[in-house]
């Protein structure tokens, strides 16, 4: 968990200082934070051994629901 | 710089700057098509007749890539996002563009996972997969941030190694061949062959839909169809050569039971260890494929959001891809099962339905002015 947090802290600090220096628009920040927050949340869950159901399972379930897959 | 006014100017400016030669595009396409097929051996559902499935699938795949090239030629200097917005309207176009962005991210993650599974199974079994994938991602982010021209030049340098390695391994195994191993032909009928052929169209040919984000960079547009045709033909041929090499050496029974077939074949060379060569092939092919997918995703997302430079998003998208690649499957068996059963149906809208719709809309729009001229 600590390793995951440390890796993300380094990545975010490195990118954000560049964004702030270049005075990026809010959209860049919003998209960046969305991807990094999603990655961080999933990483922490995976690191703690509580693997959430993934996109592959959602896609499979959707295809089964609409009758494409049996 | 007034960004609100110059968003379109900017994309045009970048289009003008970043250029790729026909050779570079050919090698990029070939590397992409070879990508993870180097370890996964597609069309295996047809067993002995996989070569037939590859021939049929190769023909279908070439046709599909021809459709993508036709869309690109009917909409010169426009990326997939531009085309979607123009043909489907701003709202629907943006929705489809977001879905395609997701598709490219997902595809990159799956290739990352293939790469990670292979390396952690055969080369570094003690190393955590996230470390292997993470380190590979760092190198790829550097390449993607350097721009599409650099990726093109890298492919010029590295992709020719792939057929060379195939040749080295094939020639090294010439003494241990059983040339009748692929017989009898059509033992289980035509149905498995057709199913495998359809799968082969989707993986890898249909995945080249990502190149609709790259085609505008080609310097000589008139050569696009030729480049697409040659790269599809070369990849099919290389796939068939690989299949025959593997089945001649392993036999159909062992081939059906093994996980990473080309790797197993490479282990059987008497008195020589060429295992790292398969790793090198995967590094090159997989690297090209992931780079193109992440580039396409970052470029698409930056166009949707009106961000002037895709490089601002590559770091975040790549990080997400690495996490997604670990999250997406629990183990290697789930990976193969999903790729075989679900991937094809999931891909059909992205690879066939929407591109055909775009082609029809592009053709209709092209024929309109000429009709108007005839009437007047």
């Amino acid at each position: 968990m600590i390793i995951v947090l440390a890796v993300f802290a380094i990545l975010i600090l490195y990118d954000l200082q560049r964004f702030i220096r270049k005075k990026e628009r809010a959209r860049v920040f919003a998209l960046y934070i969305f991807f990094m927050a999603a990655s961080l949340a999933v990483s922490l869950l995976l690191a703690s051994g509580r693997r959430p159901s993934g996109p592959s399972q959602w896609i499979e379930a959707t295809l089964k629901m609409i009758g494409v897959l049996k | 710089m007034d960004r609100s006014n110059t968003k379109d100017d900017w994309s045009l400016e970048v289009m003008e700057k970043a250029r790729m030669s026909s050779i570079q595009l050919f090698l990029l396409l070939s590397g992409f098509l070879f990508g993870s097929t180097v370890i996964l051996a597609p069309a295996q559902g047809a067993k002995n007749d996989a070569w037939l499935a590859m021939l049929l699938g190769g023909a279908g795949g070439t046709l599909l890539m021809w459709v993508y090239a036709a869309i690109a030629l009917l909409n010169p200097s426009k990326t997939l996002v531009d085309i979607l917005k123009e043909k489907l309207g701003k709202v629907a176009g943006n929705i489809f563009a977001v879905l395609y962005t997701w598709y490219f991210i997902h595809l990159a993650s799956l290739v990352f996972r293939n790469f990670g599974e292979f390396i952690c199974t055969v080369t570094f079994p003690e190393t955590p997969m996230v470390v292997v994938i993470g380190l590979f991602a760092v190198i790829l982010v550097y390449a993607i941030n350097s721009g599409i021209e650099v990726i093109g030049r890298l492919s010029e340098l590295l992709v020719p190694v792939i057929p060379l390695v195939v040749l080295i391994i094939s020639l090294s195994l010439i003494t241990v061949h059983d040339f009748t191993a692929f017989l009898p032909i059509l033992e289980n009928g035509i149905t498995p062959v057709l199913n495998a052929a359809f799968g082969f169209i989707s993986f890898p040919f249909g995945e080249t839909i990502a190149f609709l984000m790259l085609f505008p960079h080609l310097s000589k547009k008139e050569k696009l169809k030729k480049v697409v045709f040659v790269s599809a033909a070369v990849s099919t041929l290389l796939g068939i050569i690989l299949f025959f090499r593997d089945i001649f050496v392993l036999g159909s029974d062992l081939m059906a039971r093994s996980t990473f077939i080309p790797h197993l074949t490479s282990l059987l060379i008497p008195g020589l260890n060429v295992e790292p060569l398969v790793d090198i092939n995967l590094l090159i092919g997989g690297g090209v494929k992931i780079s193109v997918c992440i580039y396409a995703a970052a470029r698409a997302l930056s166009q949707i959001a009106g961000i002037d430079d895709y490089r601002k998003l590559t770091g975040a998208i790549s990080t997400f891809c690495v996490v997604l690649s670990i999250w997406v499957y629990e183990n290697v068996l789930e990976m193969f099962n999903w790729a075989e059963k679900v991937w094809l149906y999931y891909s059909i809208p992205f690879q066939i339905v929407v591109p055909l719709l775009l082609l029809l809309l592009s053709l209709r729009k092209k024929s309109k002015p000429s009709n108007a001229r005839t009437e007047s």
Side-chain angles (χ1 to χ4, degrees):
Chain A
M1 289 265 252
I2 294 166
I3 296 170
V4 172
L5 284 170
V7 169
F8 273 90
I10 293 165
L11 281 173
I12 291 167
L13 283 173
Y14 176 77
D15 283 330
L16 282 185
Q17 63 160 351
R18 199 158 41 94
F19 287 165
I20 291 165
R21 208 179 292 151
K22 288 186 178 174
K23 291 176 185 168
E24 289 300 345
R25 288 189 299 172
R27 285 171 188 188
V28 179
F29 278 98
L31 282 169
Y32 183 84
I33 287 166
F34 168 76
F35 279 109
M36 289 311 254
S39 308
L40 182 60
V42 175
S43 298
L44 288 174
L45 284 169
L46 289 173
S48 65
R50 277 176 281 174
R51 186 178 178 275
S53 65
S56 297
Q57 282 131 314
W58 306 338
I59 293 162
E60 197 173 339
T62 311
L63 288 172
K64 277 181 181 163
M65 199 171 68
I66 57 175
V68 176
L69 284 175
K70 284 173 192 169
Chain B
M1 187 171 144
D2 183 8
R3 280 174 176 163
S4 59
N5 270 342
T6 56
K7 203 181 94 187
D8 293 334
D9 298 348
W10 177 86
S11 57
L12 279 173
E13 195 184 311
V14 170
M15 295 288 178
E16 291 306 317
K17 278 180 189 169
R19 282 278 169 249
M20 252 191 314
S21 69
S22 312
I23 297 280
Q24 285 174 343
L25 184 64
F26 161 70
L27 289 166
L28 258 181
L29 266 169
S30 304
F32 185 97
L33 288 172
F34 211 59
S36 32
T37 50
V38 68
I39 53 157
L40 294 179
Q44 272 312 296
K47 292 181 182 171
N48 282 15
D49 302 317
W51 62 278
L52 260 177
M54 280 179 178
L55 268 178
L56 292 173
T62 311
L63 201 68
L64 193 62
M65 284 173 70
W66 197 276
V67 169
Y68 302 156
I71 295 170
L73 289 173
L74 286 166
N75 302 279
S77 307
K78 283 191 181 118
T79 62
L80 179 63
V81 176
D82 295 326
I83 300 168
L84 282 168
K85 277 186 194 173
E86 192 189 291
K87 304 296 172 204
L88 305 176
K90 204 176 175 187
V91 177
N94 272 329
I95 291 169
F96 276 100
V98 170
L99 288 174
Y100 267 105
T101 307
W102 159 253
Y103 185 70
F104 298 147
I105 289 173
H106 193 191
L107 182 57
S109 310
L110 300 186
V111 184
F112 263 134
R113 183 60 183 250
N114 294 340
F115 170 81
E117 285 287 357
F118 179 77
I119 296 289
C120 291
T121 308
V122 303
T123 314
F124 302 126
E126 301 288 321
T127 312
M129 199 187 296
V130 69
V131 175
V132 173
I133 295 175
L135 288 175
F136 193 35
V138 171
I139 300 162
L140 293 181
V141 169
Y142 183 76
I144 299 160
N145 279 345
S146 303
I148 195 66
E149 283 180 331
V150 172
I151 300 173
R153 267 181 259 138
L154 266 176
S155 68
E156 235 174 341
L157 190 72
L158 298 173
V159 173
V161 173
I162 297 175
L164 193 72
V165 168
V166 171
L167 193 74
I168 290 170
I169 298 175
S170 303
L171 288 178
S172 309
L173 285 162
I174 203 91
T175 53
V176 284
H177 275 59
D178 169 16
F179 291 106
T180 58
F182 73 102
L183 296 171
I185 295 168
L186 290 179
E187 189 184 13
N188 302 311
I190 194 77
T191 318
V193 175
L194 291 177
N195 285 339
F198 204 54
F200 192 52
I201 293 174
S202 163
F203 166 69
F205 295 101
E207 292 166 358
T208 54
I209 183 75
F211 275 82
L212 274 177
M213 297 300 296
L214 273 84
F215 284 152
H217 296 297
L218 181 65
S219 52
K220 290 176 182 168
K221 294 273 188 313
E222 65 277 7
K223 287 191 176 173
L224 182 58
K225 280 189 175 174
K226 195 178 166 186
V227 167
V228 161
F229 177 78
V230 175
S231 54
V234 166
S235 305
T236 308
L237 191 71
L238 212 57
I240 291 171
I241 290 172
L242 266 179
F243 165 76
F244 277 122
R245 182 197 71 191
D246 294 340
I247 201 161
F248 287 161
V249 174
L250 299 174
S252 60
D253 190 42
L254 188 54
M255 204 168 155
R257 281 187 285 144
S258 59
T259 315
F260 300 114
I261 298 165
H263 172 256
L264 187 60
T265 311
S266 73
L267 288 177
L268 298 175
I269 298 173
L272 192 67
N273 182 10
V274 293
E275 195 186 326
L277 291 181
V278 182
D279 296 12
I280 289 170
N281 260 6
L282 178 63
L283 273 170
I284 298 168
V288 168
K289 198 164 180 177
I290 296 167
S291 307
V292 169
C293 287
I294 294 179
Y295 172 83
R299 188 77 200 279
L301 199 60
S302 63
Q303 279 192 302
I304 296 163
I307 297 166
D308 55 359
D309 191 355
Y310 73 89
R311 290 173 184 86
K312 288 165 189 166
L313 300 173
T314 45
I317 288 177
S318 303
T319 310
F320 185 70
C321 284
V322 172
V323 175
L324 187 59
S325 69
I326 302 295
W327 181 27
V328 79
Y329 303 124
E330 265 185 277
N331 50 49
V332 68
L333 294 175
E334 196 185 321
M335 180 180 93
F336 281 114
N337 189 45
W338 200 86
E340 196 183 318
K341 288 181 182 161
V342 187
W343 175 254
L344 173 66
Y345 300 104
Y346 163 58
S347 294
I348 286 173
F350 296 104
Q351 296 179 354
I352 300 172
V353 179
V354 177
L356 282 178
L357 181 71
L358 289 179
L359 181 68
L360 283 175
L361 291 172
S362 303
L363 284 170
R364 207 184 70 171
K365 195 163 187 187
K366 200 193 171 193
S367 64
K368 261 184 184 172
S370 58
N371 288 346
R373 231 177 283 143
T374 335
E375 280 163 24
S376 65

